[in-house]
Amino acid sequence: MVDIDWENLGFNYMKLPFRYLSYYKDGQWDEGRLSDDALLHLSESSPALHYGQQAFEGLKAYRTKSGAIQLFRPNKNAERLQKTADRLMMPHVPTDKFIKACQAVVKANQEFVPPYESGATLYLRPLLIGVGDIIGVQPANEYIFTVFAMPVGPYFKGGLAPTNFVVSYDYDRAAPLGTGAAKVGGNYAASLLPGHYAHTQQFSDVIYLDPATHLKIEEVGSANFFGITSAGEFVTPLSPSILPSITKYSLLELAKTRLGLEAIEGDVYIDELDRFTEAGACGTAAVISPIGGIQNKDDFHVFYSETKVGPITQRLYDELVGIQFGDILAPKGWIYPVEI
Ligand SMILES: *Cc1c(COP(=O)(O)O)cnc(C)c1O
């Protein structure tokens, strides 16, 4: 067994023994292989480095109570990477190749998949980058697809805890018809400065509004927003510049089918926060992160509580995490086992 303090893992890079690498050249992918070399070898002129022609994904492998290992909806990550690739004129990684690469990396590093009781997981980072000897602004001819992994801790140790956010009016993360819906590093580069300002004011992160009108909520840092109304609705924003979170779409479905809520994708106006009794942010890394309050200009709006998680948010979390760790029966097609 590897010597890791599973209980105290954060979200930090750890160099594991194996990663998957595949190379695209002359219009096709090679077979791909596992490698013990954690360094990428690429041209100094690679378009990924100069013009941001790159995309990534994030998903987790979960250890179940019986010791098995499973992935949560990796086909959705594969499909999203294909959509991102289309937007940036990169080749598709076929869904089958993507899932097999994830499974191979988990299997090869299986002793780094945290034990069930720890609540920790193995985080997988698929990455697609344009490489090769091109200096003009044009799509690359060659690409690297890699998947590496590291164990990460649960986002909240000792239960869900709300945090506060501040609305960003000075900066957007994406343009109205830009790359907001694509999982690309450029959106993150644009979010570093507003995120930094939020942290210096003791907020967890910023709330991004729709870049065209600055009237509607789009994202919560690098997670999607949801709110619960007293009428029993689960509401989440719909916009072409939001990154379509797989966690969010899973929650929409669970809210409807398992909690009997009405699941709604629609506009969430920043001056109508009163309609929500609870609110949260969701994504693979944070799972569900309850929102205590939102600072909107001079107004500080508290939802359920600044210190306690709301009952519906807690039930959604329990359902989702129960499914991911194999304790609750998943909707058909959501769980992909890893042969170990
Ligand atoms: C990845 C990401 C999310 C969360 O998506 P999941 O599929 O749930 O992990 C939300 N917002 C942004 C900007 C992201 O990059």
Side-chain angles (χ1 to χ4, degrees):
M1 263 316 267
V2 291
D3 182 23
I4 290 177
D5 181 6
W6 304 111
E7 311 299 327
N8 291 305
L9 284 169
F11 193 79
N12 301 304
Y13 177 72
M14 187 187 291
K15 187 163 97 185
L16 297 199
F18 298 104
R19 71 278 306 124
Y20 173 90
L21 276 173
S22 185
Y23 208 91
Y24 181 94
K25 202 178 169 173
D26 301 327
Q28 56 186 0
W29 288 106
D30 70 10
E31 214 170 287
R33 64 192 168 88
L34 291 171
S35 163
D36 61 6
D37 182 0
L39 300 180
L40 291 173
H41 194 74
L42 47 99
S43 168
E44 61 192 356
S45 75
S46 294
L49 299 177
H50 299 260
Y51 307 124
Q53 200 194 21
Q54 66 87 245
F56 68 98
E57 276 299 328
L59 67 163
K60 288 172 171 175
Y62 305 82
R63 176 89 66 185
T64 69
K65 203 178 242 170
S66 68
I69 303 175
Q70 57 189 32
L71 299 172
F72 180 73
R73 312 189 79 180
N75 55 319
K76 293 290 166 192
N77 295 93
E79 289 163 16
R80 186 168 64 190
L81 184 60
Q82 290 159 8
K83 288 208 185 87
T84 301
D86 286 340
R87 181 67 180 81
L88 268 62
M89 294 194 74
M90 301 196 281
H92 282 192
V93 175
T95 300
D96 185 53
K97 182 182 180 76
F98 180 98
I99 294 174
K100 286 200 169 118
C102 292
Q103 289 169 324
V105 170
V106 175
K107 181 175 182 176
N109 297 292
Q110 59 181 279
E111 73 242 49
F112 292 90
V113 181
Y116 168 80
E117 305 76 43
S118 67
T121 53
L122 187 76
Y123 182 76
L124 297 171
R125 171 51 61 86
L127 180 68
L128 174 63
I129 59 176
V131 300
D133 301 333
I134 288 186
I135 199 63
V137 180
Q138 65 187 85
N141 293 319
E142 298 176 22
Y143 294 84
I144 292 173
F145 172 59
T146 178
V147 181
F148 59 97
M150 70 219 71
V152 298
Y155 204 75
F156 293 102
K157 298 184 177 82
L160 296 181
T163 58
N164 299 329
F165 294 82
V166 57
V167 179
S168 169
Y169 284 96
D170 294 336
Y171 300 98
D172 296 319
R173 61 177 279 281
L177 300 174
T179 55
K183 206 165 177 75
V184 298
N187 298 338
Y188 280 77
S191 75
L192 293 175
L193 187 62
H196 169 73
Y197 286 142
H199 298 151
T200 58
Q201 296 172 268
Q202 317 306 320
F203 293 104
S204 281
D205 211 327
V206 299
I207 303 271
Y208 290 105
L209 301 180
D210 71 291
T213 68
H214 285 174
L215 296 175
K216 297 176 275 185
I217 293 185
E218 294 235 313
E219 294 251 14
V220 186
S222 49
N224 278 189
F225 176 91
F226 69 86
I228 311 290
T229 70
S230 53
E233 299 160 316
F234 176 96
V235 185
T236 177
L238 184 64
S239 152
S241 44
I242 293 178
L243 192 287
S245 157
I246 295 161
T247 313
K248 191 260 296 286
Y249 283 108
S250 303
L251 290 174
L252 270 165
E253 201 164 323
L254 295 176
K256 193 158 86 183
T257 59
R258 305 260 171 121
L259 274 72
L261 303 173
E262 196 180 341
I264 300 168
E265 278 188 277
D267 291 337
V268 175
Y269 287 91
I270 189 65
D271 61 3
E272 291 179 4
L273 296 180
D274 282 342
R275 57 193 282 226
F276 301 116
T277 51
E278 299 178 34
C282 61
T284 296
V287 192
I288 287 181
S289 173
I291 300 176
I294 291 180
Q295 184 77 45
N296 180 28
K297 297 189 175 146
D298 293 334
D299 178 57
F300 185 65
H301 180 91
V302 175
F303 293 98
Y304 183 76
S305 155
E306 271 192 85
T307 51
K308 289 194 293 282
V309 55
I312 311 268
T313 305
Q314 182 71 54
R315 277 176 64 201
L316 283 167
Y317 177 87
D318 292 343
E319 190 72 27
L320 178 66
V321 172
I323 288 169
Q324 290 171 330
F325 280 97
D327 296 325
I328 296 177
L329 188 68
K332 199 161 172 284
W334 281 22
I335 295 298
Y336 284 64
V338 177
E339 306 292 336
I340 52 174

